[in-house]
Amino acid sequence: MRFSIPRYWRERHSHYRLYAKKCPKCGRVNYPPSNICRYCGSTELEDYYLDSEKAKIISWTIIYPAPEGFEEQRPRIIALLETLETKTHIIAPLADILPEEVKEGLIVEPVLRRIKEDREAGLIHYAIAYRPVIGSIGTNKQ
Ligand SMILES: [Zn+2]
């Protein structure tokens, strides 16, 4: 799909933050965000940002080669994560980690990373990625 500035602007919250809805009634986080809690049916949901939490790696997959436009970050590691506080499952790319360093249970934290450059439109895209918490692996890079 062709990149569109109005669409990107409308969706900016989900690009730069992991926007979700938290249910004050049952305490669960609805992600992707929903106006009706999918756990208890409540409609009184509050904005919540999952990137306020650290997470642990549950499983992952390594993608070779990187898709077109993502060549800067090859290979690309996509992980299934569970946030530490609300135990919400999210899928996000990993950063600052080598494929052989990824392991189940590793604690990671969100960081805003440049993901691709659209030279034609003169735009640089950023998105949330997760990197190992400092000290969690021996060869951690900043
Ligand atoms: Zn609920």
Side-chain angles (χ1 to χ4, degrees), residues 42-55:
S42 171
T43 52
E44 314 264 310
L45 302 187
E46 296 169 348
D47 289 349
Y48 186 77
Y49 293 95
L50 283 166
D51 52 289
S52 62
E53 297 184 56
K54 287 177 182 155

Side-chain angles (χ1 to χ4, degrees), residues 28-29 43-44 68 71-72 74 85 95 110-111 135 139:
R28 307 278 304 262
V29 171
T43 52
E44 314 264 310
E68 192 183 341
E71 294 87 352
E72 284 177 30
R74 170 182 316 190
E85 285 168 48
V111 59
T139 56

Side-chain angles (χ1 to χ4, degrees), residues 23 26 37 40:
C23 175
C26 73
C37 178
C40 75

Side-chain angles (χ1 to χ4, degrees), residues 105-121:
L106 190 75
I107 306 299
V108 289
E109 62 187 0
V111 59
L112 197 59
R113 278 299 154 88
R114 171 182 157 135
I115 51 160
K116 81 185 260 204
E117 195 171 331
D118 185 340
R119 291 189 183 89
E120 208 178 303

